[in-house]
Amino acid sequence: MSSNDVLEKLAKLRSKVRDIGSKSDGGSSFTTITAAAAATRASEESKARSKISEMSAEVVDSNPYSRLMALKRMGIVKDYEKIREKTLIVVGVGGVGSVVAEMLTRCAVGKLILFDYDKVELANMNRLFYQPHQSGLSKVEAARDTLLHINPDVEIEVHNMNITTMENFKIFVNRIQHGNLDNGKVDLVLSCVDNFEARMTVNTACNEENQIWIESGVSENAVSGHIQYIEPGKTACFSCLPPLIVASNIDEKTLKKDGVCAASLPTTMAVVAGFLVQNALKYLLNFGTVTNYLGYNALADFFPNEEIRPNPNCDDRFCRQRQNEYQERLANEPPKEESVEEEQPIIHEDNDWGIELCDDNSEEIPEETSTVAGKGLKFAYDAPSTTSLQQQTNGETTSKINAADISSLMAQLKSL
Amino acid sequence: MSSNDVLEKLAKLRSKVRDIGSKSDGGSSFTTITAAAAATRASEESKARSKISEMSAEVVDSNPYSRLMALKRMGIVKDYEKIREKTLIVVGVGGVGSVVAEMLTRCAVGKLILFDYDKVELANMNRLFYQPHQSGLSKVEAARDTLLHINPDVEIEVHNMNITTMENFKIFVNRIQHGNLDNGKVDLVLSCVDNFEARMTVNTACNEENQIWIESGVSENAVSGHIQYIEPGKTACFSCLPPLIVASNIDEKTLKKDGVCAASLPTTMAVVAGFLVQNALKYLLNFGTVTNYLGYNALADFFPNEEIRPNPNCDDRFCRQRQNEYQERLANEPPKEESVEEEQPIIHEDNDWGIELCDDNSEEIPEETSTVAGKGLKFAYDAPSTTSLQQQTNGETTSKINAADISSLMAQLKSL
């Protein structure tokens, strides 16, 4: 039987199965639903939409981009279609990263490069995105299938690997340098990993490559999270100071052996994913204000919003080099040029809030607002011994948590 | 050919298609991916998990509830398994409501009742949840199929109808009264609709039935949103005062005729859905603090958090009746009983923030914090002429927007 015969036969059978499905009474019994659902899914690929060469603003039901292009008419984004020139790397496609990848796909970015080395498990089903039938598949491959089905216009490149090994780190750096649609540098790296080592690896690569990235994390008790925009030399890097909130700084694998696991909620993870992609869009398409550090405490609906300057004594030599370069740039430029004009917060007529932005995110950060924990925040552990940092944080509430294993983790990372 | 023959043949063909798929080199060409994806999807139902009678905290990859049950060990929730006794109505399963329904399904609520009368369109693909192959299906039925596939333990009841007609309003009220797993009152109603009329309908029903609900909305420029917890008699209802942020108060259908549509982003909608379900979980499982009004301004990452008291001159007579009942209850109870003990904010050892809650959400709301717009907020339009309300808001920033068509809309609603 040729593959054409198979496909023809399959098409006929599909239609028969659809008939069986449509004869059901539409009741809510599980069996009926599953049969109908199976028929629907069996014919998915025939209904999956074809590629679209140009984004259109036309308001018709069949245009998947009408609501995005409307951002132009609403005065929010100048050139929304520029999104199709952008390439992002998403490191980690678990509870946060998979939702981030789906949002970016639906927003029609040009290209996504996904890194992860985990497999989908039923234990992941309390978060959005993966479905039970994908159990056992590698996360990046399951994600690629779903994302291409949702939007075939996005180019998806996947790497089923752990970036913290020497060999894979090189591949990761290569993709930062040459991953975009023209084999050039990517536009943004989003970190959605769940452990310290992987965060430090992303940090090392981005300092080295002078690559802007946004870090994210969710706490092990599932009810808080954060994002942190990191522009090497301008804002604190992940090594500059203890993370304000370490996401899950416990090793999932060790924990599982002891019959213990971190809690997680689809709500917290989707909120963090939403903040992450929203700020990525603001950065890529030049609207609103990109937040440096944004936290989310779900128990109290409290959202710390901070500006964090780099630590001049950062352990990462590339970070210190980027800081020098940034200071030189500042010294050589007229003050107004530090930020592009469009970066000014746009106050629209239909700004429902009538608010004005506060000074936290203004362009010129005074030298004295530095690496400190803001109101209501505390560091997850102490900074590496940097006298000047300690002087700067003097008078702020800091405390020692989980300081024990940091040096060993750093040693591990440096031995790569 | 009997249906058994068909199924047998289909199984064989599936395996052939899988073979074709697996022979592909794993490259990123769209055709290859689609074939593999089709094979995967065709066999979905065989891999969909079976029902689970009791939620377990066991940490194994095959347990879809281990990360939720871990909330108990983390000290966040006392009895997470109580979630399976809860029934929620979700009105509107579009960009916000579909994600809300998916989150609740993954969180393992007992029963979901969905109302919507729209069909899935390609124009919805810029938001999470629906996929292109579902175009043309009714939203509630497409949602039910996906939700049952994700978690067959959740009971899903769907109503493909517009609740604003007289006949359907009765069905909606009946489901509030008798929709739960024991044919009793539901636990919570979540409003995820995109128009004023539907919100007023939910408000009318919930005031009448003394039903707690949470309202949500996203602005037509896609970059702000809100949720508002409404406990009849205790907090402001939707009629008490102008909505602080009206979501899309334009008629999508009229607009589309003119070649114009509201903008939307998956980010903003997922953040609002996350806030909505997070506060629903806090309310249902009695942890943290349920926020009365929480806003989200995406351009500035600004999150107004307000307490809004009911308007004694509210147009809705059931709202006024609930206010009297609430005041009587307060007068007859010792002050401490106004809230249950567990409603106190829980400060955990692993509260990463070390924050204390501010007074906004404390149990006894002083009589003077009333129906007012807080710092940085303005009303979308003026309140119905209520002298006392205007006195209360005296000195606050309010302004007139879209006041024109409110009375006609209210008249329409009342004529139902």
Side-chain angles (χ1 to χ4, degrees), chain B residues 101-115:
Chain B
E102 181 175 349
M103 286 171 174
L104 289 167
T105 296
R106 292 186 184 265
C107 285
V109 291
K111 183 176 173 184
L112 280 180
I113 305 177
L114 312 179
F115 284 87

Side-chain angles (χ1 to χ4, degrees), chain A residues 9-30:
Chain A
K9 204 101 188 175
L10 187 58
K12 281 186 193 158
L13 288 170
R14 257 180 221 143
S15 113
K16 273 181 203 281
V17 175
R18 260 198 299 275
D19 286 346
I20 296 167
S22 66
K23 272 176 202 140
S24 77
D25 61 0
S28 67
S29 98
F30 181 57

Side-chain angles (χ1 to χ4, degrees), chain A residues 366-388:
Chain A
E367 209 52 38
E368 56 278 16
T369 40
S370 191
T371 44
V372 291
K375 18 183 187 334
L377 289 178
K378 62 179 182 185
F379 293 117
Y381 51 81
D382 266 0
S385 55
T386 51
T387 326
S388 75

Side-chain angles (χ1 to χ4, degrees), chain A residues 41 44 61 73 106 123 127 130 133 149 224 261 267-268 278 282 289 291 298-301 304 353 355 357 376, chain B residues 41 44 61 73 106 123 127 130 133 149 224 261 267 278 282 289 291 298-301 304 353 355 357 376:
Chain A
R41 272 179 223 112
E44 273 182 27
D61 291 348
R73 195 181 48 81
R106 292 186 184 266
R127 283 92 95 171
Y130 295 111
H133 67 275
H149 179 68
S224 61
C261 67
T267 43
T268 310
Q278 198 85 280
K282 290 192 282 184
T289 303
T291 297
L299 294 179
D301 283 329
W353 307 80
I355 55 153
L357 301 180
Chain B
R41 271 179 224 112
E44 273 184 26
D61 291 349
R73 193 180 51 79
R106 292 186 184 265
R127 284 94 94 173
Y130 295 111
H133 68 276
H149 179 70
S224 62
C261 67
T267 44
Q278 198 84 282
K282 290 193 279 184
T289 302
T291 298
L299 293 179
D301 284 328
W353 307 78
I355 56 153
L357 302 179

Side-chain angles (χ1 to χ4, degrees), chain B residues 202-250:
Chain B
V202 176
N203 190 62
T204 303
C206 291
N207 277 335
E208 209 172 300
E209 296 306 316
N210 203 6
Q211 173 64 54
I212 294 177
W213 63 294
I214 313 182
E215 133 77 2
S216 70
V218 174
S219 67
E220 64 196 67
N221 68 6
V223 288
S224 62
H226 73 280
I227 62 163
Q228 184 177 349
Y229 168 88
I230 300 181
E231 183 172 336
K234 186 178 176 187
T235 68
C237 86
F238 191 73
S239 272
C240 275
L241 79 169
L244 282 170
I245 309 302
V246 198
S248 174
N249 57 354
I250 45 173

